[in-house]
Amino acid sequence: MECNVLYPALEIQEKVRGLADQIMEFYAGKSVVAVCVLKGAVVFFSDLVRQMPDLDLELDFVRLSSYQDATESSGKVVFSKDIEIDIEGKHVLIIEDIVDSGRTMMFLTDVFKARKPASVRICSLIDKTERRVQGDLKVDFSCFSLQKGFVVGYGLDYAEKYRHLPDLCVLTF
Ligand code: IMP
Ligand code: MG
Protein backbone atom coordinates (compact mmCIF):
# COMPACT_ATOMS: atom_id res chain seq x y z
CA MET A 1 0.00 0.00 0.00
CA GLU A 2 1.36 3.42 -0.97
CA CYS A 3 0.46 6.77 0.56
CA ASN A 4 1.26 9.90 -1.48
CA VAL A 5 0.64 13.53 -0.52
CA LEU A 6 -2.18 15.07 -2.54
CA TYR A 7 -2.72 18.33 -0.66
CA PRO A 8 -0.10 19.39 1.87
CA ALA A 9 -1.11 20.84 5.24
CA LEU A 10 -0.28 24.42 4.21
CA GLU A 11 -2.55 24.26 1.18
CA ILE A 12 -5.35 22.79 3.30
CA GLN A 13 -4.96 25.65 5.77
CA GLU A 14 -5.31 28.24 3.03
CA LYS A 15 -8.37 26.52 1.58
CA VAL A 16 -10.01 26.22 5.00
CA ARG A 17 -9.42 29.92 5.69
CA GLY A 18 -10.96 30.87 2.35
CA LEU A 19 -13.95 28.62 2.92
CA ALA A 20 -14.47 30.03 6.43
CA ASP A 21 -14.64 33.56 4.98
CA GLN A 22 -17.18 32.40 2.42
CA ILE A 23 -19.33 30.74 5.11
CA MET A 24 -19.12 33.75 7.45
CA GLU A 25 -20.25 36.01 4.66
CA PHE A 26 -23.08 33.66 3.66
CA TYR A 27 -24.48 33.38 7.20
CA ALA A 28 -23.73 36.94 8.33
CA GLY A 29 -26.16 38.02 11.05
CA LYS A 30 -27.67 34.54 11.44
CA SER A 31 -27.37 31.87 14.14
CA VAL A 32 -25.90 28.64 12.89
CA VAL A 33 -25.57 25.14 14.32
CA ALA A 34 -22.42 23.50 12.92
CA VAL A 35 -22.70 19.72 13.06
CA CYS A 36 -19.50 17.69 12.87
CA VAL A 37 -19.87 14.25 11.34
CA LEU A 38 -17.64 11.99 13.43
CA LYS A 39 -15.05 10.77 13.13
CA GLY A 40 -13.74 11.81 9.74
CA ALA A 41 -14.63 15.51 9.89
CA VAL A 42 -13.18 16.19 13.33
CA VAL A 43 -9.89 17.74 12.17
CA PHE A 44 -11.51 19.84 9.42
CA PHE A 45 -14.30 20.91 11.80
CA SER A 46 -11.84 22.02 14.49
CA ASP A 47 -9.84 24.11 12.03
CA LEU A 48 -12.88 25.54 10.27
CA VAL A 49 -14.91 26.71 13.28
CA ARG A 50 -11.88 28.48 14.72
CA GLN A 51 -11.63 30.53 11.53
CA MET A 52 -15.18 31.85 11.98
CA PRO A 53 -15.06 33.94 15.18
CA ASP A 54 -17.56 36.47 13.80
CA LEU A 55 -20.33 33.92 13.42
CA ASP A 56 -23.01 33.18 16.04
CA LEU A 57 -22.19 29.48 16.17
CA GLU A 58 -23.27 26.45 18.19
CA LEU A 59 -21.39 23.18 17.81
CA ASP A 60 -22.71 19.64 17.87
CA PHE A 61 -21.74 16.15 16.75
CA VAL A 62 -23.21 13.13 15.02
CA ARG A 63 -21.71 9.72 14.41
CA LEU A 64 -22.71 7.89 11.27
CA SER A 65 -21.17 5.06 9.35
CA SER A 66 -21.64 3.69 5.89
CA TYR A 67 -18.22 2.15 5.34
CA GLN A 68 -17.29 -0.87 7.41
CA ASP A 69 -13.49 -0.87 7.23
CA ALA A 70 -13.57 -0.93 3.46
CA THR A 71 -13.21 1.40 0.51
CA GLU A 72 -16.56 0.44 -0.99
CA SER A 73 -19.80 1.84 0.38
CA SER A 74 -22.23 -0.74 1.72
CA GLY A 75 -25.09 1.59 0.89
CA LYS A 76 -26.41 1.33 4.42
CA VAL A 77 -26.13 4.21 6.85
CA VAL A 78 -26.00 3.64 10.59
CA PHE A 79 -26.92 6.53 12.94
CA SER A 80 -25.12 5.86 16.19
CA LYS A 81 -24.90 9.26 17.91
CA ASP A 82 -27.42 12.05 17.49
CA ILE A 83 -26.98 15.80 18.07
CA GLU A 84 -28.12 17.25 21.39
CA ILE A 85 -29.17 20.74 20.26
CA ASP A 86 -32.78 21.34 19.16
CA ILE A 87 -32.43 22.58 15.57
CA GLU A 88 -36.01 23.67 15.00
CA GLY A 89 -35.98 27.11 13.35
CA LYS A 90 -32.18 27.20 13.19
CA HIS A 91 -29.71 27.20 10.31
CA VAL A 92 -27.84 23.89 10.24
CA LEU A 93 -24.47 23.48 8.58
CA ILE A 94 -23.31 19.87 8.34
CA ILE A 95 -19.52 19.54 8.32
CA GLU A 96 -18.38 16.34 6.60
CA ASP A 97 -14.99 15.00 5.53
CA ILE A 98 -15.88 13.66 2.09
CA VAL A 99 -19.08 13.16 0.10
CA ASP A 100 -18.80 10.15 -2.17
CA SER A 101 -21.99 8.35 -3.25
CA GLY A 102 -23.95 10.96 -1.29
CA ARG A 103 -25.97 8.36 0.64
CA THR A 104 -24.68 9.40 4.05
CA MET A 105 -25.47 13.08 3.51
CA MET A 106 -28.85 12.31 1.95
CA PHE A 107 -29.75 10.25 5.02
CA LEU A 108 -28.60 12.95 7.45
CA THR A 109 -30.22 15.89 5.65
CA ASP A 110 -33.51 13.96 5.52
CA VAL A 111 -33.36 13.24 9.26
CA PHE A 112 -32.56 16.89 10.03
CA LYS A 113 -35.17 18.37 7.66
CA ALA A 114 -37.88 16.45 9.50
CA ARG A 115 -36.98 18.50 12.59
CA LYS A 116 -38.02 21.75 10.88
CA PRO A 117 -34.77 23.73 10.82
CA ALA A 118 -34.62 27.11 9.03
CA SER A 119 -32.17 25.53 6.57
CA VAL A 120 -29.79 22.59 6.14
CA ARG A 121 -26.58 22.95 4.16
CA ILE A 122 -23.60 20.73 3.55
CA CYS A 123 -19.96 21.70 3.90
CA SER A 124 -17.52 18.98 2.90
CA LEU A 125 -13.73 19.11 2.90
CA ILE A 126 -13.75 17.03 -0.28
CA ASP A 127 -16.48 16.66 -2.86
CA LYS A 128 -15.80 13.35 -4.64
CA THR A 129 -18.01 13.26 -7.68
CA GLU A 130 -17.53 10.05 -9.67
CA ARG A 131 -19.66 7.67 -7.59
CA ARG A 132 -22.44 10.12 -6.72
CA VAL A 133 -25.77 8.27 -6.83
CA GLN A 134 -27.89 10.86 -5.08
CA GLY A 135 -28.11 13.22 -8.05
CA ASP A 136 -30.02 15.95 -6.30
CA LEU A 137 -27.62 16.12 -3.38
CA LYS A 138 -25.85 19.48 -3.36
CA VAL A 139 -22.58 20.10 -1.58
CA ASP A 140 -22.92 23.78 -0.72
CA PHE A 141 -19.37 24.45 0.46
CA SER A 142 -16.18 22.48 -0.17
CA CYS A 143 -12.40 22.93 -0.17
CA PHE A 144 -11.46 20.36 -2.78
CA SER A 145 -13.21 18.63 -5.63
CA LEU A 146 -12.00 15.22 -6.70
CA GLN A 147 -13.20 12.82 -9.33
CA LYS A 148 -11.97 9.61 -7.78
CA GLY A 149 -9.30 8.05 -5.56
CA PHE A 150 -9.15 6.99 -1.93
CA VAL A 151 -7.96 9.79 0.32
CA VAL A 152 -6.63 9.59 3.88
CA GLY A 153 -5.16 11.96 6.46
CA TYR A 154 -6.45 15.23 8.00
CA GLY A 155 -9.16 13.14 9.73
CA LEU A 156 -9.89 10.68 6.93
CA ASP A 157 -9.12 7.03 7.54
CA TYR A 158 -8.64 3.67 5.99
CA ALA A 159 -9.75 1.06 8.57
CA GLU A 160 -9.23 3.71 11.32
CA LYS A 161 -5.61 4.41 10.36
CA TYR A 162 -4.03 7.62 8.96
CA ARG A 163 -6.51 10.06 10.56
CA HIS A 164 -3.71 11.91 12.35
CA LEU A 165 -1.66 12.72 9.24
CA PRO A 166 -1.42 16.50 8.65
CA ASP A 167 -1.62 16.22 4.85
CA LEU A 168 -4.32 14.78 2.61
CA CYS A 169 -2.85 11.73 0.90
CA VAL A 170 -3.96 9.31 -1.78
CA LEU A 171 -3.82 5.65 -0.84
CA THR A 172 -2.87 3.25 -3.60
CA PHE A 173 -3.73 -0.39 -3.02
P1 IMP B 1 -21.08 8.23 0.92
O1 IMP B 1 -22.27 7.88 1.73
O2 IMP B 1 -20.81 7.22 -0.16
O3 IMP B 1 -21.10 9.63 0.37
O4 IMP B 1 -19.85 8.03 1.85
C1 IMP B 1 -19.26 9.04 2.53
C2 IMP B 1 -18.39 8.48 3.63
O5 IMP B 1 -17.53 7.44 3.14
C3 IMP B 1 -17.48 9.57 4.12
O6 IMP B 1 -18.04 10.20 5.22
C4 IMP B 1 -16.22 8.80 4.49
O7 IMP B 1 -16.30 8.38 5.82
C5 IMP B 1 -16.21 7.59 3.59
N1 IMP B 1 -15.33 7.80 2.42
C6 IMP B 1 -15.68 7.96 1.13
N2 IMP B 1 -14.61 8.15 0.34
C7 IMP B 1 -13.54 8.13 1.16
C8 IMP B 1 -12.13 8.32 0.95
O8 IMP B 1 -11.62 8.55 -0.16
N3 IMP B 1 -11.35 8.22 2.07
C9 IMP B 1 -11.85 7.99 3.31
N4 IMP B 1 -13.15 7.84 3.56
C10 IMP B 1 -13.99 7.91 2.50
MG1 MG C 1 -17.43 10.11 7.16
Side-chain angles (χ1 to χ4, degrees):
M1 218 148 45
E2 225 185 295
C3 192
N4 296 300
V5 174
L6 177 67
Y7 300 115
L10 262 174
E11 195 178 335
I12 302 170
Q13 251 165 58
E14 274 169 36
K15 285 276 186 185
V16 171
R17 213 173 295 133
L19 193 71
D21 288 344
Q22 214 179 303
I23 294 171
M24 275 196 291
E25 201 178 316
F26 184 83
Y27 288 110
K30 300 202 173 96
S31 307
V32 180
V33 180
V35 177
C36 174
V37 183
L38 297 171
K39 305 178 195 172
V42 73
V43 178
F44 174 46
F45 180 83
S46 309
D47 283 349
L48 187 70
V49 296
R50 286 179 298 165
Q51 295 291 333
M52 306 193 290
D54 298 342
L55 216 60
D56 177 10
L57 209 55
E58 289 176 282
L59 311 183
D60 213 334
F61 301 84
V62 284
R63 172 88 173 112
L64 302 161
S65 57
S66 63
Y67 275 58
Q68 267 93 38
D69 291 353
T71 57
E72 284 295 316
S73 174
S74 63
K76 216 180 111 214
V77 180
V78 184
F79 200 2
S80 57
K81 192 234 172 281
D82 202 347
I83 48 170
E84 290 157 16
I85 295 171
D86 180 2
I87 57 172
E88 188 173 340
K90 294 180 182 168
H91 295 281
V92 177
L93 182 63
I94 300 170
I95 315 287
E96 171 65 309
D97 54 357
I98 183 164
V99 178
D100 188 9
S101 73
R103 285 190 191 98
T104 311
M105 281 306 98
M106 193 48 90
F107 168 83
L108 191 60
T109 48
D110 283 351
V111 171
F112 282 173
K113 277 175 184 166
R115 299 177 186 174
K116 313 259 182 287
S119 69
V120 180
R121 287 193 169 78
I122 299 172
C123 169
S124 184
L125 174 69
I126 303 169
D127 186 1
K128 193 160 80 176
T129 53
E130 196 187 57
R131 296 197 289 196
R132 192 69 42 84
V133 293
Q134 305 284 359
D136 54 341
L137 186 89
K138 188 169 160 250
V139 176
D140 302 280
F141 304 96
S142 74
C143 286
F144 304 103
S145 188
L146 208 72
Q147 225 205 326
K148 55 183 174 185
F150 198 83
V151 185
V152 296
Y154 197 68
L156 286 85
D157 76 310
Y158 172 66
E160 297 300 333
K161 309 268 190 202
Y162 308 105
R163 290 196 199 275
H164 63 294
L165 300 182
D167 308 312
L168 275 166
C169 307
V170 170
L171 209 58
T172 318
F173 299 90

